[in-house]
Amino acid sequence: MTGSATLESHRVDARPSRPRALRRGALIVGLAVALVALVLVSAGTGQLYVRPEEVLGALLRGLGIPVGPLPEHPQGYNALWTIRFPRVAMAVIIGAALAAAGLLMQAIFGNPLAEPGVVGVSSGAALGASAVIVFGWTFAGEWTIAFVAFATGLLATLIVYTMSRAGGRTEVVTLVLTGIAINAFTGAGLAFLTFLGDQQAREQIVFWQLGSLNGSRWQQVGIVLPLIVIGLVVAFAVTRSLDLLALGEKSARHLGVNVELLRIVVIVVTALLVGSAVAFAGIIAFVGLVVPHLMRMIIGPAHLPLLLTSVLGGAVLLLAADLVARTAVPMADLPIGMLTSIVGGPFFFWLLRRTRSKAGGWG
């Protein structure tokens, strides 16, 4: 009877009531509008100010649509397309990837505390990227950093998955402790690589640890974008299966879900998304924790709308954080990972307390 009630509850959520459907639609539209507005404002803000309508005109002209005014400054158009637009594009892409990765980890672990930065996946990917820098590996050309970051991120994800599973479920305490252990190990590895590397390599490793979008180029966008698009396409394809998995493993199997295959696919996709993001932006924590939870609180647990809103919300959050990083201190570029941690740290503490109180204590 309990299983039937749970299944019926899932069916009700799959076909949301009119107020919930309107709330979902309003949230998606609101996030899309906020993203467009932030793109125009962020691209035009800096030492060389460009008005939003001029940013839009330059963007459309660059895409072959002769509409809107061009920047009045003679170097404005080139500055936008050479410096500003690549950085904005990377913020949008990486923010979407990190939020989607966080949602997928929470779904597959069945745990609200799962997040690439918290459980050590981001630092694992950063360790691989730093090893490429120090040892000068070039076996895959421009893809070498992304490839190695993906491999080490995947390894970290598999370790977390294996260590935190017990009796067919994920233990909260084990998940957090496994993340602490992985972060400690990768921290030691990064320190060792810093010791081995030259001055330039040390500066780049510090870049990975702090997280930054400074220096983003179209070449990097061309490498990261196809990888993240593939990851997001697969993520959207498995949202129905994730809804069924939320009913419990036994119910999901009865409804035709290959649970183990689903887990493997999601783990690989998570590593792909996180590894691609870390490869060129370094460690940017808590985006995958904060955004999915906020979206879930507003629209409920159904994974298709939740993934869509999380992707948009992650892009908005990281683009806003990057704007603050570039403008908060004159003539300086703050580490974006520091800013997301300022928001995410207290949120994680609140979530940890909330989860503990719901579980009745962890003894």
Side-chain angles (χ1 to χ4, degrees), residues 39-354:
V39 166
L40 298 180
V41 172
S42 180
T45 302
Q47 295 182 31
L48 172 62
Y49 176 73
V50 182
R51 291 178 297 157
E53 61 270 23
E54 294 176 345
V55 174
L56 180 60
L59 180 61
L60 294 175
R61 298 289 179 114
L63 297 175
I65 304 173
V67 177
L70 287 174
E72 295 179 358
H73 194 281
Q75 298 300 321
Y77 183 86
N78 290 334
L80 287 174
W81 278 99
T82 305
I83 301 172
R84 302 274 180 84
F85 286 156
R87 181 162 180 162
V88 167
M90 286 290 279
V92 170
I93 296 167
I94 291 174
L98 292 176
L103 174 61
L104 291 175
M105 291 193 72
Q106 291 165 18
I108 208 66
F109 282 101
N111 193 300
L113 298 178
E115 195 268 344
V118 173
V119 300
V121 180
S122 296
S123 57
L127 180 63
S130 299
V132 173
I133 294 169
V134 172
F135 298 118
W137 296 336
T138 57
F139 57 84
E142 288 287 338
W143 293 76
T144 305
I145 292 180
F147 178 80
V148 176
F150 162 71
T152 52
L154 176 60
L155 178 61
T157 311
L158 290 173
I159 292 173
V160 171
Y161 173 71
T162 303
M163 295 295 294
S164 61
R165 296 283 294 176
R169 65 189 183 90
T170 305
E171 296 179 340
V172 175
V173 175
T174 308
L175 178 75
V176 175
L177 293 178
T178 302
I180 292 172
I182 289 180
N183 281 320
F185 175 80
T186 54
L190 287 168
F192 182 65
L193 290 173
T194 303
F195 174 77
L196 290 179
D198 56 21
Q199 183 64 32
Q200 183 179 0
R202 290 170 185 169
E203 291 176 358
Q204 288 186 270
I205 290 174
V206 171
F207 160 82
W208 297 119
Q209 292 175 302
L210 296 177
S212 176
L213 296 173
N214 190 24
S216 297
R217 307 188 311 272
W218 284 120
Q219 188 177 23
Q220 296 173 347
V221 175
I223 294 173
V224 172
L225 181 60
L227 297 175
I228 290 179
V229 167
I230 291 171
L232 291 178
V233 168
V234 177
F236 277 104
V238 300
T239 52
R240 172 64 177 170
S241 297
L242 294 177
D243 283 337
L244 297 177
L245 182 62
L247 303 174
E249 291 188 20
K250 291 184 179 180
S251 298
R253 288 194 178 97
H254 286 313
L255 292 169
V257 177
N258 187 333
V259 175
E260 292 308 315
L261 178 61
L262 176 63
R263 284 205 176 100
I264 292 171
V265 168
V266 171
I267 285 173
V268 172
V269 169
T270 300
L272 180 64
L273 293 172
V274 175
S276 301
V278 169
F280 295 108
I283 301 175
I284 302 176
F286 293 112
V287 174
L289 180 72
V290 173
V291 175
H293 273 285
L294 292 178
M295 300 303 109
R296 192 180 289 111
M297 290 168 62
I298 298 172
I299 65 172
H303 283 89
L304 179 57
L306 189 56
L307 180 59
L308 178 57
T309 54
S310 294
V311 165
L312 291 171
V316 168
L317 175 61
L318 198 59
L319 192 55
D322 184 57
L323 178 60
V324 173
R326 291 192 292 110
T327 59
V329 179
M331 307 298 292
D333 202 320
L334 297 177
I336 194 171
M338 178 192 71
L339 296 177
T340 57
S341 295
I342 289 174
V343 175
F347 187 87
F348 177 70
F349 176 74
W350 170 80
L351 185 62
L352 191 66
R353 297 272 299 180
R354 182 169 176 262

